[in-house]
Amino acid sequence: MPNSKDTYSRPSKSASCVIREDTIEYGFIGKLQSLKYEYREDICDRAALEKNFREKFEALNRVRLTDTEFARLLDEIVTPDVFTAAKTLRSINAFTRDDGTPLNYTLVNIKDWCKNTFEVVNQLRINTDNSHHRYDVLLLINGVPCVQIELKTLGISPRRAMEQIVEYKHDPGNGYTKTLLCFMQLFIVSNRDRTYYFANNNARHFAFNADERFLPVYEFADEDNSKITHLDAFAERFLRKCDLGQTISRYMVLLAGEQKLMIMRPYQVYAVQHMVKCIDEDNGNGYIWHTTGSGKTLTSFKASTLLKENDHIHKCVFVVDRKDLDRQTREEFNKFQEGCVEENTNTAALVRRLLSEDYADKVIVTTIQKLGLALDENSKRNKQRTKNGQATYKEQLEALKDNRIVFIFDECHRSQFGENHKAIKAFFPKAQLFGFTGTPIFEANASLQKIEDTQASMRTTEDLFQKQLHAYTITHAIEDGNVLRFHIDYFKPEGKNPPKPGEAIAKKAVIDAIIAKHDAATGGRRFNAILATASINDAIEYHALFKTMQADKQAADPDFKPLNIACVFSPPAQLAENPESKKDIEQLSEDLPQEQEDNKVEPEAKKKALEAILADYNARYGTNHRLGEFDLYYQDVQKRIKDQQWPNADYPPAKKIDITIVVDMLLTGFDSKFLNTLYVDKNLKHHGLIQAFSRTNRVLNGTKPYGNILDFRQQQDSVDTAIALFSGEKTGEQAREIWLVDKAPVVIKKLETAVQKLDGFMKSQGLDCTPSAVANLKGDEARAAFITHFKEVQRLKTQLDQYTDLTDDNKQTIEQVLPEENLRGFKGQYLETAKKLREQQGKGGDKPGTDDPADQIDFEFVLFASAVIDYDYIMGLIAKFSEKGPGKSKMTREELIGLISADAKFMNERDDIAEYIGTLKAGEGLSEAAIRDGYTRFKAEKNAKELATLAAKHGLATATLQTFVDGILDRMIFDGEQLSDLMAPLDLGWKARTQAELALMEDLHPLLTKRAGGRDISGLSAYE
């Protein structure tokens, strides 16, 4: 054994299997030995791994298995399904022995994970049917491989290292599906200075998808959110044996609904630990300040399930506001664990479950309204029960007075909160109350007064919950990349008497500015926006003005594409059709103070206006909404905002919403990654401002660099005050630097530097810095370097493209630094080069990522995909190119081809489109319909020729091969058996047939990938 103090020395005796001479790896193993892990240098292949597992299994379960029993046990527990394996690892399982007797067993000590054995192995080699993989370092818990650590050198992008694990897992016949490695729970990636970790999952939750979904990847942090990234410090805090056992057993969540493993973020774990400790010590109440978008529901769920195990607690009641939150939270909880929370349809059901001794009723989700009704002697139902001679709900609940009940309040500052909070405290003296909030109420932003001994003071979060247990502020979340920064454009109209901060400007000027800036702000309508207005009357006026002003613009310019405008505000409750509808609207508008006030004045006029807005919406989207079912309309608007995620090819722009006009609605609690812009024409301050701004800053990918705010009221002082108030530990000045993106001139300077670096690199290769010179780069290393340099240029350009406050001088400077034509050319070359490197990525043999420069790059093709330039747009441009007369296209054939080449969406089709454009003549006078038909025909002929050539090459009938290919593309599933049927007429022996199949698939794979248009064909990856 190596000396555990000397963490960076080699083992004293040479290992029994080939070990890389890698300082980081030996140092890390030494560190784990100092944490009392046993180093098992003898375990270096599958047989040794299984032998060790058998010994540990037999000792833990006090059993001796025969060889056939052990083989059968392995057969039963090894599964390609990560979720099933994760459940088996955490459960008591059943096995029938050869003599028919039952054996109940666990794979690890699930009662006390600290009492398991913890071992470390390195350079384990697993040879399965198709894979020969080596794994850097594995941690075994009771012989079960639960954690894999991949160590890299500093030069390799950690994200690329993560992608390599994904690629390992996608290899056909890999160790994760056929061996004990199926029990892997966590992956850790480190280059010693930066360390990341993430949960294992089935393929659909375990991929790097350029469109939007990245693996949730974490860095470890301490209580004050300081990152712990050095490998030794990380091991010291995260990999101590009991801590690792707790992480896997308590702080990973198995989402039954999605069949997915989730690991809690460090701040979520600390919050839960503080709550649990506070309850164990019966130490009063407390609140958790976790910013919007930080996963409060998961934190509260985990707290409540851990409390379920606490025998001293009678009930854990999770309290939310409003029926839609009730439904949403219940669904979220049940997603974490099926059926764990039942619906409380009425107050009677709530009371029955509160009184129930059934363990299934220990955690209850209910609304604050139902709880209030149960405790209110004067409520209609309680009075009715007294009249009927029945015990009131309050009297029934008297039995619980002395029990310990934990109440957890989600978003603990809703309108009904104050009174009910008092009633709960009075009725349940032994209750402990915990609140979650994204925006706490401090003295500075409090509005409710409480009177105690004639002393008036503000009602703050601390008044209600005594103490803050844990904070994870928006400042932390932005630093971690869990939410985005903001870009704020304070719009100043030109003229002699500019309005003062907070004053409204003419609505026409606002609409003109929005129309002028919207495409830039939303990345060419890839995203959508909310327009926050000061009153219902303003919202109505804006909706009408958008309609007339856009119609005028369209009449003046046929090429103008109007924005799809929706509008949503609550209807006047007093004019509701029936009592049920009235109750729904009242609940809906409880937390919409401005709308409540507005609806008291001329409710009839507002109702009529809203009916007209609904009629307009129905006409635009082909829906049939009416005021009596307002909630369905509201849900439809929310869904369309979220449906912006679908590309135009799948979900036409006509079905989407570009801008939603609101007053109070949607400004709190609503989340969509594809909403990136907030237009502000109302005065906002404190928590209201933070919540409204936070609608825009959900993380997506590189195409969404920040949340965009365009403020028409010049509220810089209010913004600065809010940032200072909610920045946590940081000063207002420090927080501003973190919260807000750099001003345009700073980013332009960075762009200039990035372009100079690209220029310097190209010159170092003896080439001019022009798009055409990229093709002359020699070697993968030079191509990889070009990719890296150009990605930085494009990242900064994407950021600037969405700035709404660029001056003419700014635009001129950008054009000088990087002319549009040059940028387009470089994009095309980037895509071409990246595509070639991507194809060879990971083909470097047994250990991807060591020498090949292609293996050190991560690609984000999506950075170059424009929402505006879609298939319809291109067909329109080609039609214009073909137009006769004076209106003919200003674009040349070359510019048109350049535009297509620079867009990632057309990566698989651009050669075809370019070839088709080559067959057309400028001024030929074809209509757009003729162009489309012509292209469809051209592609069909080209595809048929391509397939006929392929069929002839492999000795197959063209029609049979065509049917085979059509079948795959129809179902997007590759079926190996159908491939065998296809080859059957060749009448070959098994060996020759295997070779013939592989030769055919080598030609067919790129063809199928191209025709699938970027979508995945299930099962095809086996032939990559």
Side-chain angles (χ1 to χ4, degrees), residues 469-696:
L469 294 178
H470 191 258
Y472 182 76
T473 67
I474 189 169
T475 312
H476 292 138
I478 289 171
E479 284 178 312
D480 291 353
N482 289 331
V483 296
L484 298 172
R485 293 168 156 197
F486 299 107
H487 172 263
I488 307 177
D489 175 2
Y490 299 104
F491 182 78
K492 289 182 184 136
E494 292 161 8
K496 284 182 183 170
N497 302 312
K500 294 185 181 74
E503 281 183 3
I505 62 170
K507 292 186 177 57
K508 285 191 170 178
V510 171
I511 291 175
D512 275 332
I514 288 175
I515 289 172
K517 292 170 181 263
H518 184 82
D519 280 2
T522 57
R525 306 192 191 184
R526 178 174 169 75
F527 304 103
N528 54 30
I530 281 177
L531 165 57
T533 64
S535 67
I536 288 180
N537 284 342
D538 279 3
I540 294 165
E541 198 180 330
Y542 265 119
H543 188 265
L545 265 177
F546 260 110
K547 201 170 179 178
T548 55
M549 286 175 70
Q550 291 206 113
D552 292 347
K553 279 189 187 296
Q554 212 172 0
D557 175 11
D559 285 345
F560 172 72
K561 281 198 162 61
L563 297 161
N564 290 341
I565 309 292
C567 178
V568 65
F569 53 83
S570 54
Q574 62 270 43
L575 302 180
E577 291 177 3
N578 53 54
E580 194 57 41
S581 184
K582 184 181 180 189
K583 202 169 80 181
D584 282 354
I585 292 165
E586 278 171 350
Q587 278 201 345
L588 191 68
S589 58
E590 264 162 18
D591 300 304
L592 310 171
Q594 184 64 51
E595 295 182 20
Q596 267 186 329
E597 281 307 303
D598 287 353
N599 273 323
K600 289 173 186 170
V601 183
E602 298 185 331
E604 199 59 60
K606 291 185 175 63
K607 182 182 177 182
K608 274 198 175 128
L610 190 54
E611 281 171 341
I613 287 167
L614 254 74
D616 188 77
Y617 187 92
N618 288 335
R620 181 188 301 278
Y621 296 111
T623 49
N624 192 23
H625 294 297
R626 54 190 202 83
L627 215 49
E629 292 172 330
F630 178 80
D631 203 34
L632 293 176
Y633 165 64
Y634 185 34
Q635 284 175 39
D636 189 33
V637 169
Q638 292 178 65
K639 185 177 180 302
R640 277 181 209 279
I641 295 172
K642 290 182 176 183
D643 280 345
Q644 189 79 20
Q645 65 180 294
W646 307 115
N648 291 346
D650 295 343
Y651 193 75
K655 290 188 177 180
K656 297 173 182 172
I657 293 174
D658 291 309
I659 300 173
T660 309
I661 301 168
V662 303
V663 183
D664 290 326
M665 279 183 162
L666 297 176
L667 295 183
T668 58
F670 175 72
D671 282 345
S672 168
K673 290 178 180 181
F674 284 82
L675 168 63
N676 85 326
T677 299
L678 176 72
Y679 300 117
V680 182
D681 188 20
K682 72 183 292 185
N683 293 336
L684 292 168
K685 60 180 186 176
H686 303 317
H687 51 282
L689 182 144
I690 299 297
Q691 286 175 339
F693 280 23
S694 296
R695 297 314 103 217
T696 65

Side-chain angles (χ1 to χ4, degrees), residues 710-859:
L710 185 51
D711 176 21
F712 292 100
R713 299 258 176 136
Q714 299 177 62
Q715 300 174 84
Q716 187 160 359
D717 286 349
S718 296
V719 170
D720 289 349
T721 305
I723 289 176
L725 189 60
F726 291 100
S727 59
E729 315 280 296
K730 299 270 194 283
T731 65
E733 191 50 52
Q734 287 174 314
R736 261 203 307 281
E737 282 178 26
I738 295 166
W739 286 37
L740 307 178
V741 292
D742 291 328
K743 298 236 182 305
V746 179
V747 186
I748 293 170
K749 202 84 200 127
K750 287 181 180 174
L751 178 68
E752 214 168 325
T753 308
V755 171
Q756 281 164 3
K757 283 185 179 170
L758 177 63
D759 182 71
F761 162 71
M762 293 298 285
K763 289 200 169 116
S764 75
Q765 303 297 306
L767 298 167
D768 289 338
C769 190
T770 61
S772 55
V774 176
N776 296 319
L777 285 169
K778 298 282 183 284
D780 285 352
E781 205 164 319
R783 292 186 191 103
F786 162 71
I787 296 267
T788 307
H789 282 299
F790 181 67
K791 266 184 67 180
E792 180 58 11
V793 170
Q794 178 61 42
R795 186 183 69 77
L796 294 162
K797 184 66 169 65
T798 301
Q799 190 171 330
L800 284 167
D801 283 346
Q802 290 175 32
Y803 275 37
T804 49
D805 54 356
L806 293 177
T807 63
D808 289 341
D809 283 353
N810 291 156
K811 289 173 186 167
Q812 217 173 326
T813 311
I814 294 166
E815 182 61 27
Q816 279 168 357
V817 171
L818 186 63
E820 193 59 41
E821 199 178 330
N822 260 13
L823 176 67
R824 200 179 288 155
F826 276 126
K827 278 185 189 177
Q829 291 293 346
Y830 166 91
L831 289 171
E832 194 60 46
T833 310
K835 193 177 166 192
K836 282 179 186 159
L837 283 177
R838 184 95 213 217
E839 280 163 7
Q840 70 187 59
Q841 201 177 67
K843 290 185 183 171
D846 176 67
K847 191 80 175 161
T850 37
D851 304 313
D852 190 341
D855 276 320
Q856 298 178 22
I857 296 174
D858 59 279
F859 299 105

Side-chain angles (χ1 to χ4, degrees), residues 201-451:
N201 262 304
N202 287 325
R204 70 194 169 107
H205 299 301
F206 198 86
F208 283 88
N209 176 331
D211 280 342
E212 72 201 73
R213 287 173 292 280
F214 295 111
L215 277 173
V217 173
Y218 311 99
E219 282 184 295
F220 193 63
D222 61 16
E223 285 252 8
D224 67 1
N225 208 49
S226 300
K227 296 288 168 284
I228 298 171
T229 62
H230 188 283
L231 186 57
D232 279 5
F234 173 83
E236 191 72 48
R237 287 289 301 274
F238 191 86
L239 294 176
R240 283 183 177 281
K241 297 194 292 189
C242 280
D243 290 344
L244 180 63
Q246 274 212 333
T247 296
I248 292 174
S249 61
R250 289 167 79 94
Y251 302 122
M252 285 185 77
V253 178
L254 275 57
L255 266 67
E258 294 180 42
Q259 300 281 292
K260 177 181 179 182
L261 272 64
M262 275 179 77
I263 183 162
M264 294 176 74
R265 298 175 186 272
Y267 62 84
Q268 293 175 313
V269 172
Y270 296 131
V272 168
Q273 286 172 343
H274 282 297
M275 276 178 72
V276 170
K277 186 179 177 200
C278 193
I279 290 159
D280 284 344
E281 295 172 357
D282 200 2
N283 188 17
N285 307 330
Y287 72 94
I288 309 281
W289 173 10
H290 279 189
T291 189
T292 313
S294 62
K296 292 194 288 289
T297 310
L298 174 61
T299 313
S300 47
F301 165 77
K302 200 63 206 180
S304 56
T305 51
L306 290 175
L307 295 182
K308 207 169 180 179
E309 298 162 16
N310 187 330
D311 296 335
H312 303 294
I313 302 295
H314 179 68
K315 295 281 173 193
C316 176
V317 184
F318 192 75
V319 188
V320 295
D321 194 3
R322 294 221 312 262
K323 61 168 192 173
D324 61 335
L325 275 177
D326 182 21
R327 183 189 65 230
Q328 190 180 314
T329 308
R330 198 177 60 253
E331 282 171 3
E332 287 276 322
F333 268 37
N334 283 328
K335 199 165 74 178
F336 299 140
Q337 187 181 318
E338 269 177 311
C340 74
V341 177
E342 285 177 33
E343 181 177 4
N344 292 314
T345 47
N346 55 39
T347 312
L350 168 64
V351 171
R352 191 184 67 246
R353 293 192 64 211
L354 279 168
L355 294 167
S356 161
E357 293 295 323
D358 191 336
Y359 187 69
D361 287 324
K362 192 159 178 177
V363 175
I364 299 169
V365 174
T366 187
T367 62
I368 197 156
Q369 289 87 347
K370 284 174 199 157
L371 200 56
L373 285 172
L375 297 178
D376 181 6
E377 285 284 40
N378 299 314
S379 74
K380 260 189 216 165
R381 285 187 189 146
N382 273 336
K383 281 182 174 170
Q384 188 60 48
R385 291 181 74 83
T386 308
K387 217 184 261 182
N388 298 348
Q390 295 171 295
T392 65
Y393 295 136
K394 195 170 179 181
E395 286 164 350
Q396 286 179 284
L397 291 173
E398 289 283 343
L400 300 179
K401 257 189 180 298
D402 293 330
N403 289 6
R404 280 187 67 192
I405 296 179
V406 172
F407 290 93
I408 300 175
F409 295 89
D410 185 35
E411 289 302 345
C412 57
H413 292 297
R414 301 284 183 178
S415 54
Q416 289 216 1
F417 189 72
E419 287 309 305
N420 285 316
H421 181 271
K422 213 187 306 176
I424 292 162
K425 281 184 79 168
F427 191 80
F428 297 106
K430 291 192 173 178
Q432 279 181 278
L433 279 61
F434 297 93
F436 278 84
T437 178
T439 46
I441 307 294
F442 305 108
E443 295 288 345
N445 61 317
S447 56
L448 284 173
Q449 288 200 328
K450 60 171 189 172
I451 308 289

Side-chain angles (χ1 to χ4, degrees), residues 941-953:
E941 285 166 12
K942 190 179 174 192
N943 286 348
K945 261 189 227 160
E946 201 175 16
L947 217 59
T949 309
L950 218 149
K953 179 180 171 183

Side-chain angles (χ1 to χ4, degrees), residues 880-896:
K880 276 194 172 171
F881 168 75
S882 160
E883 251 175 41
K884 279 185 176 162
K888 79 174 181 223
S889 173
K890 296 183 181 77
M891 268 194 158
T892 64
R893 188 189 311 254
E894 288 67 32
E895 284 171 332
L896 198 47

